[in-house]
Amino acid sequence: MAIDKNSVEYVAHLARIELQSKELEKLSSQLKDILSFIDKLNRIDTARINPTSHILPISNVLRQDQSKDSLAADKALENAPKKQGDFFSVPKVIE
Amino acid sequence: MELHSQSGHQLLDLIKNKKTTAKEVWESLESRVRAIDTKVNAYVRKDEKREPSLKPDSQQEGKLMGLAVTIKDNICTTGMNTECCSKILKNFSPPYDATVINKLKTNAASIFNLKANMDEFAFGSSTENSAFMATRNPWDLDSVPGGSSGGSAAAVAADEAIWALGSDTGGSIRQPAAFCGVVGLKPTYGRVSRYGLIAFASSLDQIGPLTKDVEDSAILLEAIAGHDQYDSTSVDIAVPDYKKSLGSGIKSVKIGIPKEYFIEGLDPEIKKIVGEAIDQIKKLGAQVQEVSLAHTEYAVAVYYIIATAEASSNLARFDGVQYGLRVEAGKDSSAGMIEMYKKTRGSGFGQEAKRRILLGTFVLSHGYYDAYYLKALKVRTLIKQDFDHVFKELDCIITPTSPSAAFKIGEKVEDPLKMYLSDIYTISANLAGIPAISLPCGFTKKGMPVGLQILAKPFDEETIFKVAHAYEQATPWHKRKPEL
Amino acid sequence: MNRRHPGISENQNYNMPYEAVIGLEVHIHLKTKTKAFCGCSTEFGSPPNSQTCPICLGFPGSLPALNSQALDYAIKVGLALNCKVQEYTKFDRKHYYYPDLPKNYQISQYDLPISRDGFLDIYPQGIKKMVRIKRAHLEEDAGKLMHKEQSSLVDFNRTGIPLLEIVSEPDINTPTEAYEYLASLKSIIEYLGVSDCDMEKGSLRCDVNISIRPQGIEALGTKVELKNMNSFKGVKDALTYEIGRQIEALESGGEIIQETRLWDTVSAQSISMRTKEEAKDYRYFPEPDLPPFIISQKKIEEIKKTIPELPREKMRRFIEEYGLSEYDAAILVSNKNNADYAQERLKAWPDKNKKPVANWLIGPLTALASSNSIAISEVKITKEDFLELVDLVENKQIVSNLVGKTILVEMSSSGKSPSLIIREKNLAQVSDVESLEADVDAALKENLKSVQAYKEGKNNALMFLVGQVMKKTAGRANPKVVQEILKRRLA
């Protein structure tokens, strides 16, 4: 499956990554090669095979509805690039 | 012999016998780092202000008796930054310790106050993708130490660490262990808690020890293994006394050698050295036979779909809102938030990270999910079945760890696909969730270490330790040190 | 009278009849103590970012662990809504970028929701209508965003609170039906005790999808999504407006654009979001950090047993067993605690005719509760005292209705029994003819104009005079006896 520059641009938008035009060129070509390599999977017939999403045969992992200590607000905000009082601050979001 | 040159179990004995203290060991490590790390670059952020209290007092009661453990930069530690060697996590100081850190502390270990270098977000097989610098292989400073746990492996090999923790998603503990001539173990998926490990691929990641010998590996694994209520994928199976597996001989052990691992692409020198190691193991009494892991050739493709898909998802959170790098658009920008995301991630992620995120996003996207992601999950089932089939009859599988010894710095970094293919022997163990170790089995003519890989059934690390230890004790490899 | 198609809202004169096709998407906060995937508290109204931890903040390295109570509550709601509970269920990641979503993905459920294919019966205008429930699934809530002049502020207290998303099939055809659907849903869920369903506090949110089509046409019209309603009435108003807007657009030759519109309560209009909406690619894939869940038949049975008699059944039973009218029964069952309170009293009333008790519950007791801003189940009057009062008023007629009401108030504030209050305050109704004749005569003397009016044929005057006697006796006179005496005197 070939992936063209437009697709890469669209995917970069989905992933919220800004690419410089040189980057876009290079990455598009590299991704194309990698996807060609990956296409070898089409050689295998998997029509009757179940997918493995979880490698361990475990299920029903649950925890009790019991409270645990929360972080103090200042700890939660310690790494914040920008804050206002006890809030995280971000550029204005327009809805 | 210098304190820093000894293994963990040797030092534990010395401490128990009051011949030294954990504090002295720490100081020995510090002076070793000062002496040679400018050459090796195993550690990062050496100028960072750290908690001085991490250094142990003279004596510490507990299994690990205050000995320092070196931690890879993707495992959360309070009191020290945890940045995954990426620009986007610059200055991130986690408000919590990873579960393995808590377990180490419970066992009276001390946490070394320098973090080990790595490929950014564990994306890589050479530690050249670190945002800081490349780590050098202690056996040849122009060669890579392997990756992504290259810093951890190099530190142990160069005696800048007694032992270290790394992480393994597709071989990131085992391959650098092989390149650096140390022991590296990837535990069974679910054996060790992932809580506090900054995730790369959630269904493949495991934290594991990098050590100077097999006994140390057993000691460290026992200290960090076990069920964790904070990790829903950690398994509630009792942690055995792994030391009991050591020294019991391997006479009845049945070993398989998969034919698909010994084809073109494997360096002839490695093939020869690994062949000799297998002969040695036969001499020790194990029964060896050829087996088939029929879907081996698809493993890299499957891995690069699943791992990048999960990575693209796990890395979505790095956006400049709550921590790390933030690059804001100009004040006039009306799409301020989107711009911030794009610029932050555009400048914060390195090339390999971008490549994987884009690939992962693509294989999950509308219209491609079935052809790629779902398909990969199905082939994963086939790969797992290959191992299940072999393990019905046999106890473990032996292969080379890597198709070549350490390559030169800069040799593969411009060719991602070539780089990916160097993981070909290690990747399947992650896909199947089984435990695997790499330990030294010889040296190339150029004097570079070669690694032997042993794989076993889920939660059967005991067989791995048994076989590895028997081989190690019958050979001189673990006693050799690089000249630095 | 013109039988208008139910889909058309009031006050319209359009060229052809239209039908509205409406689907509702309701999110409810499950009332667990802690969040879905971590042990932080779910309490409402705490200081910003004080109920967070590495997990709900989505800090690097954190992992989710599912709250068993959230799962049980989700199953409970599914069963109460007649759904099939999924035997094998799992979580999936839903990816999108927004500052109130810490991981930039939400842990939700995609293809194997916890329950599906259920229904809810509503009774618009008394006729049963089934609204099919497509699915109900578990997911985590996002944080709260506040917009300032130059920036937006984020509070992550709400992230991670367990949500149940209940999606109906587009079986609803009028704003009133939508309102009833919401009211019934809320009522049932309150009965289960799993959510407060309070739109004002944000524990219930509702988005609607609406399209219209000419009556008789099968093809669906263009769907518009409406958001930002913050009350059930708001939903009804928004739908009413939107139906009108869409019909007018079509009738004037325009077209409906598929979009999301926000309801603005102030201007009472739906407003286009105007931003170019791109098709969302959520890139769902199974959540690798949470192993799947297998719900056994045993578990389902266990949870089924915890489901109480639901409002509709209770109402039917109130009607059959207690002979209440549908109207009265509906009022009593609308809130579970009130229904239990009422049922206790209705059951204990020895007579077959329960209407007097119902009347006193719905009338004076409800009024008393409202005036104190509490629920009727919170009124502190014992069952015995309450029934005694009803008996004294309705059967024994010791006091009039009016006096009875004041006694009720006294009972709730003092905790005293009605007979004690009657004794202490000398409130017993006077039926003694002799003593009343004196009061009647006095009233007649003081109200000659009314006497005259009565004699001229104005019957109102009689009631006025009865009232005057009641005043004189501080309400204690038996009005029937007073009336008889007056008639005799005035004859």
Side-chain angles (χ1 to χ4, degrees):
Chain A
M1 147 84 222
I3 183 171
D4 62 2
K5 239 170 45 182
N6 285 334
S7 308
V8 177
E9 237 173 341
Y10 174 63
V11 170
H13 170 67
L14 280 181
R16 297 295 188 268
I17 296 180
E18 182 181 78
L19 294 175
Q20 309 304 321
S21 51
K22 265 208 187 129
E23 265 184 308
L24 180 60
E25 289 274 351
K26 197 171 177 193
L27 284 167
S28 300
S29 134
Q30 288 170 337
L31 287 171
K32 199 159 137 227
D33 290 341
I34 296 169
L35 281 168
S36 300
F37 169 74
I38 284 175
D39 275 341
K40 63 160 59 181
L41 291 183
N42 292 328
R43 288 190 233 143
I44 317 175
D45 177 13
T46 52
R48 268 183 292 276
I49 308 291
N50 286 329
T52 295
S53 308
H54 297 94
I55 197 76
L56 291 167
I58 58 177
S59 59
N60 295 1
V61 180
L62 293 160
R63 52 164 255 273
Q64 295 303 311
D65 189 17
Q66 266 165 8
S67 74
K68 299 237 152 79
D69 287 335
S70 293
L71 289 173
D74 62 341
K75 230 5 190 197
L77 287 150
E78 197 178 32
N79 289 287
K82 226 182 210 172
K83 53 190 165 210
Q84 203 180 304
D86 282 334
F87 290 92
F88 291 85
S89 172
V90 297
K92 178 93 182 266
V93 177
I94 298 159
E95 294 203 301
Chain B
M1 195 161 61
E2 301 268 24
L3 286 173
H4 56 251
S5 307
Q6 311 218 34
S7 69
H9 61 89
Q10 286 171 333
L11 291 167
L12 286 173
D13 280 336
L14 289 175
I15 293 174
K16 273 192 201 112
N17 295 322
K18 307 241 195 294
K19 302 265 171 63
T20 187
T21 66
K23 184 161 178 246
E24 282 174 359
V25 176
W26 179 288
E27 284 162 355
S28 177
L29 286 171
E30 277 185 326
S31 69
R32 178 67 170 167
V33 169
R34 271 195 300 272
I36 62 152
D37 201 53
T38 43
K39 286 194 259 182
V40 178
N41 286 322
Y43 290 108
V44 293
R45 297 190 300 277
K46 296 200 272 269
D47 298 328
E48 181 192 332
K49 295 227 152 49
R50 296 169 298 281
E51 303 247 317
S53 61
L54 288 173
K55 184 160 150 180
D57 294 330
S58 314
Q59 203 68 316
Q60 225 103 321
E61 291 305 313
K63 258 196 198 143
L64 299 175
M65 309 214 76
L67 281 180
V69 184
T70 287
I71 309 295
K72 186 176 178 181
D73 197 31
N74 60 358
I75 297 173
C76 285
T77 47
T78 53
M80 262 197 293
N81 285 356
T82 302
E83 300 182 5
C84 291
C85 291
S86 173
K87 279 194 270 187
I88 211 168
L89 262 184
K90 192 170 155 71
N91 290 325
F92 179 59
S93 174
Y96 74 105
D97 278 320
T99 296
V100 294
I101 301 296
N102 285 327
K103 280 189 183 276
L104 285 176
K105 287 181 179 174
T106 304
N107 282 299
S110 52
I111 309 300
F112 197 57
N113 61 1
L114 287 171
K115 298 297 268 290
N117 198 13
M118 56 183 281
D119 283 297
E120 178 187 11
F121 286 111
F123 297 150
S125 311
S126 65
T127 311
E128 290 169 290
N129 292 319
S130 165
F132 297 104
M133 74 302 240
T135 298
R136 310 246 157 194
N137 192 315
W139 297 88
D140 167 24
L141 296 174
D142 292 326
S143 289
V144 300
S148 59
S149 308
S152 302
V156 172
D159 290 327
E160 293 185 74
I162 306 303
W163 38 22
L165 290 187
S167 69
D168 190 312
T169 306
S172 290
I173 286 176
R174 293 161 286 154
Q175 184 250 36
F179 281 12
C180 291
V182 299
V183 178
L185 173 79
K186 181 200 86 68
T188 310
Y189 183 81
R191 177 78 281 185
V192 176
S193 169
R194 293 185 296 115
Y195 189 77
L197 170 67
I198 298 181
F200 161 4
S202 313
S203 74
L204 305 169
D205 292 344
Q206 270 291 281
I207 294 174
L210 286 113
T211 56
K212 297 181 190 184
D213 58 29
V214 175
E215 186 174 345
D216 277 4
S217 190
I219 294 172
L220 213 49
L221 179 64
E222 202 181 315
I224 61 172
H227 180 245
D228 180 17
Q229 56 172 319
Y230 285 96
D231 177 358
S232 300
T233 60
S234 75
V235 167
D236 199 355
I237 292 179
V239 179
D241 183 355
Y242 290 118
K243 287 207 297 298
K244 289 213 178 100
S245 317
L246 308 174
S248 52
I250 57 170
K251 273 208 165 47
S252 52
V253 177
K254 295 206 239 355
I255 300 178
I257 312 293
K259 62 181 188 207
E260 291 85 1
Y261 284 53
F262 291 86
I263 54 171
E264 196 189 308
L266 172 60
D267 186 303
E269 231 195 318
I270 308 286
K271 188 174 181 182
K272 182 166 166 285
I273 292 171
V274 168
E276 285 165 4
I278 293 172
D279 287 337
Q280 176 65 49
I281 288 175
K282 274 194 217 158
K283 280 208 197 94
L284 291 168
Q287 292 164 40
V288 173
Q289 67 185 80
E290 194 188 60
V291 296
S292 171
L293 294 170
H295 296 90
T296 298
E297 66 173 299
Y298 302 109
V300 174
V302 170
Y303 174 80
Y304 276 97
I305 292 174
I306 295 176
T308 57
E310 293 180 8
S312 73
S313 174
N314 287 325
L315 268 65
R317 70 193 68 200
F318 299 109
D319 60 7
V321 172
Q322 295 173 304
Y323 40 74
L325 179 73
R326 177 191 288 203
V327 178
E328 274 192 49
K331 278 222 162 77
D332 292 334
S333 177
S334 62
M337 204 58 226
I338 296 186
E339 286 292 293
M340 183 181 108
Y341 286 144
K342 290 188 170 183
K343 286 193 186 302
T344 299
R345 293 162 64 78
S347 50
F349 286 133
Q351 285 304 297
E352 185 60 41
K354 283 183 189 168
R355 209 163 12 243
R356 296 196 189 201
I357 292 171
L358 291 176
L359 182 58
T361 306
F362 178 76
V363 302
L364 288 176
S365 65
H366 181 67
Y368 297 106
Y369 178 91
D370 283 359
Y372 288 100
Y373 189 72
L374 190 58
K375 181 85 183 179
L377 293 185
K378 292 183 176 187
V379 182
R380 183 175 185 180
T381 303
L382 294 172
I383 290 172
K384 169 101 171 62
Q385 285 174 355
D386 285 351
F387 283 101
D388 289 344
H389 185 75
V390 170
F391 286 133
K392 270 205 194 100
E393 304 290 325
L394 306 178
D395 301 308
C396 63
I397 292 169
I398 289 184
T399 80
T401 304
S402 172
S404 73
F407 41 89
K408 295 286 183 189
I409 289 180
E411 189 181 311
K412 293 193 184 175
V413 83
E414 288 303 315
D415 190 340
L417 201 46
K418 213 169 171 192
M419 187 73 90
Y420 296 167
L421 285 163
S422 58
D423 293 332
I424 198 161
Y425 296 145
T426 48
I427 268 176
S428 295
N430 302 82
L431 291 173
I434 59 177
I437 202 170
S438 175
L439 72 161
C441 68
F443 288 82
T444 63
K445 287 197 196 77
K446 292 203 179 119
M448 296 308 286
V450 176
L452 186 73
Q453 182 178 228
I454 306 172
L455 306 96
K457 292 184 198 101
F459 301 100
D460 192 15
E461 283 83 354
E462 287 147 293
T463 295
I464 288 180
F465 287 133
K466 187 154 82 160
V467 176
H469 189 253
Y471 173 77
E472 177 192 74
Q473 295 299 303
T475 55
W477 317 122
H478 61 292
K479 298 205 181 100
R480 268 170 70 166
K481 299 241 184 227
E483 282 160 33
L484 278 164
Chain C
M1 173 187 129
N2 262 341
R3 177 83 175 96
R4 283 183 167 280
H5 188 280
I8 301 177
S9 26
E10 315 300 312
N11 308 317
Q12 293 167 6
N13 272 308
Y14 295 115
N15 290 337
M16 58 169 115
Y18 289 90
E19 177 185 50
V21 177
I22 299 167
L24 262 59
E25 209 175 271
V26 173
H27 287 86
I28 58 167
H29 268 179
L30 294 177
K31 215 160 62 167
T32 52
K33 275 198 231 103
T34 61
K35 295 186 178 181
F37 300 112
C38 67
C40 289
S41 164
T42 54
E43 226 176 273
F44 180 80
S46 302
N49 291 305
S50 64
Q51 276 168 202
T52 63
C53 74
I55 299 167
C56 55
L57 285 169
F59 273 15
S62 64
L63 294 171
L66 182 63
N67 184 335
S68 63
Q69 187 72 283
L71 185 64
D72 287 352
Y73 280 179
I75 295 171
K76 199 167 177 175
V77 175
L79 291 172
L81 294 177
N82 307 293
C83 294
K84 294 185 195 55
V85 173
Q86 189 72 32
E87 191 190 326
Y88 176 94
T89 186
K90 63 169 171 67
F91 287 89
D92 302 284
R93 292 189 184 178
K94 177 181 182 181
H95 300 85
Y96 62 96
Y97 283 83
Y98 210 63
D100 67 1
L101 193 64
K103 303 185 288 288
N104 287 321
Y105 64 81
Q106 177 195 37
I107 300 179
S108 177
Q109 295 190 291
Y110 181 52
D111 56 328
L112 295 174
I114 185 91
S115 54
R116 62 197 160 80
D117 299 336
F119 64 88
L120 175 59
D121 288 329
I122 57 174
Y123 294 81
Q125 286 143 344
I127 303 166
K128 180 159 97 166
K129 172 173 179 156
M130 177 166 88
V131 178
R132 291 167 301 158
I133 306 268
K134 187 167 177 180
R135 51 185 279 156
H137 73 253
L138 263 176
E139 56 185 27
E140 53 176 352
D141 205 351
K144 253 213 206 114
L145 214 51
M146 268 187 330
H147 304 297
K148 301 263 145 176
E149 283 283 311
Q150 306 281 356
S151 61
S152 295
L153 302 180
V154 197
D155 173 13
F156 290 106
N157 280 352
R158 208 180 61 183
T159 43
I161 290 188
L163 289 178
L164 193 67
E165 178 177 322
I166 303 169
V167 183
S168 81
E169 295 282 9
D171 292 344
I172 294 169
N173 298 111
T174 73
T176 304
E177 284 175 14
Y179 185 98
E180 296 228 6
Y181 173 83
L182 289 169
S184 300
L185 195 62
K186 173 173 168 148
S187 184
I188 291 174
I189 291 171
E190 275 184 339
Y191 265 59
L192 298 176
V194 304
S195 173
D196 290 332
C197 290
D198 186 339
M199 269 186 105
E200 255 152 65
K201 285 210 179 127
S203 58
L204 188 153
R205 308 204 282 266
C206 176
D207 297 330
V208 309
N209 286 305
I210 169 173
S211 64
I212 59 168
R213 62 187 170 193
Q215 199 187 341
I217 304 291
E218 251 193 77
L220 290 168
T222 307
K223 204 164 53 168
V224 167
E225 190 187 10
L226 287 177
K227 290 169 110 81
N228 203 40
M229 291 78 69
N230 46 27
S231 65
F232 289 179
K233 181 173 181 297
V235 171
K236 191 173 174 189
D237 293 343
L239 282 168
T240 306
Y241 171 86
E242 183 62 18
I243 290 171
R245 183 192 79 86
Q246 290 196 13
I247 293 178
E248 277 182 36
L250 287 181
E251 296 253 308
S252 63
E255 59 164 13
I256 312 293
I257 307 167
Q258 180 172 340
E259 57 170 346
T260 302
R261 297 176 70 89
L262 299 179
W263 176 245
D264 178 12
T265 340
V266 175
S267 63
Q269 291 183 321
S270 72
I271 303 192
S272 170
M273 286 180 73
R274 218 163 284 140
T275 50
K276 175 174 176 279
E277 278 173 62
E278 30 176 63
K280 296 194 176 90
D281 186 349
Y282 292 119
R283 303 186 295 291
Y284 285 103
F285 76 96
E287 171 57 82
D289 291 332
L290 293 170
F293 298 88
I294 297 173
I295 318 283
S296 64
Q297 208 36 53
K298 180 161 167 256
K299 179 89 179 159
I300 293 175
E301 292 305 316
E302 260 173 43
I303 294 179
K304 232 187 207 156
K305 288 201 190 97
T306 68
I307 298 178
E309 184 182 43
L310 293 175
R312 201 74 211 173
E313 295 157 40
K314 203 182 272 293
M315 184 172 122
R316 211 158 312 170
R317 198 164 52 73
F318 276 18
I319 294 170
E320 283 168 19
E321 273 184 46
Y322 306 135
L324 299 183
S325 73
E326 191 173 308
Y327 184 81
D328 288 350
I331 294 179
L332 287 174
V333 306
S334 63
N335 169 295
K336 181 170 190 288
N337 288 336
N338 292 350
D340 289 342
Y341 185 93
Q343 177 167 291
E344 245 195 341
R345 285 146 183 75
L346 287 162
K347 203 168 179 184
W349 181 251
D351 297 348
K352 250 201 182 157
N353 176 20
K354 310 280 182 179
K355 198 122 192 13
V357 179
N359 287 342
W360 274 84
L361 286 166
I362 293 171
L365 192 69
T366 301
L368 173 61
S370 303
S371 68
N372 291 323
S373 301
I374 55 175
I376 67 165
S377 59
E378 290 170 306
V379 175
K380 291 204 170 35
I381 295 177
T382 68
K383 177 179 68 185
E384 292 74 19
D385 285 349
F386 180 77
L387 295 176
E388 196 192 333
L389 178 65
V390 177
D391 184 46
L392 289 170
V393 174
E394 302 291 335
N395 290 346
K396 301 203 172 84
Q397 300 194 355
I398 301 291
V399 288
S400 69
N401 214 298
L402 191 61
V403 173
K405 286 181 195 170
T406 60
I407 295 175
L408 187 71
V409 177
E410 174 74 33
M411 281 160 70
S412 82
S413 57
S414 69
K416 294 184 180 159
S417 76
S419 34
L420 182 61
I421 295 172
I422 288 171
R423 242 198 332 278
E424 281 181 354
K425 298 219 163 133
N426 197 18
L427 296 173
Q429 194 163 254
V430 180
S431 300
D432 171 35
V433 174
E434 261 188 54
S435 74
L436 283 178
E437 279 176 347
D439 294 307
V440 168
D441 289 338
L444 286 173
K445 265 210 192 105
E446 292 160 15
N447 295 283
L448 294 168
K449 271 207 185 125
S450 299
V451 174
Q452 191 61 30
Y454 179 73
K455 288 201 169 147
E456 284 170 9
K458 295 211 170 82
N459 285 326
N460 294 354
L462 181 67
M463 295 325 294
F464 177 77
L465 288 166
V466 171
Q468 291 304 300
V469 177
M470 296 301 285
K471 240 193 192 161
K472 275 189 178 303
T473 59
R476 279 161 42 221
N478 184 327
K480 284 205 203 97
V481 175
V482 168
Q483 210 176 43
E484 275 168 36
I485 300 171
L486 275 169
K487 277 194 181 146
R488 272 190 282 124
R489 284 285 195 269
L490 295 167

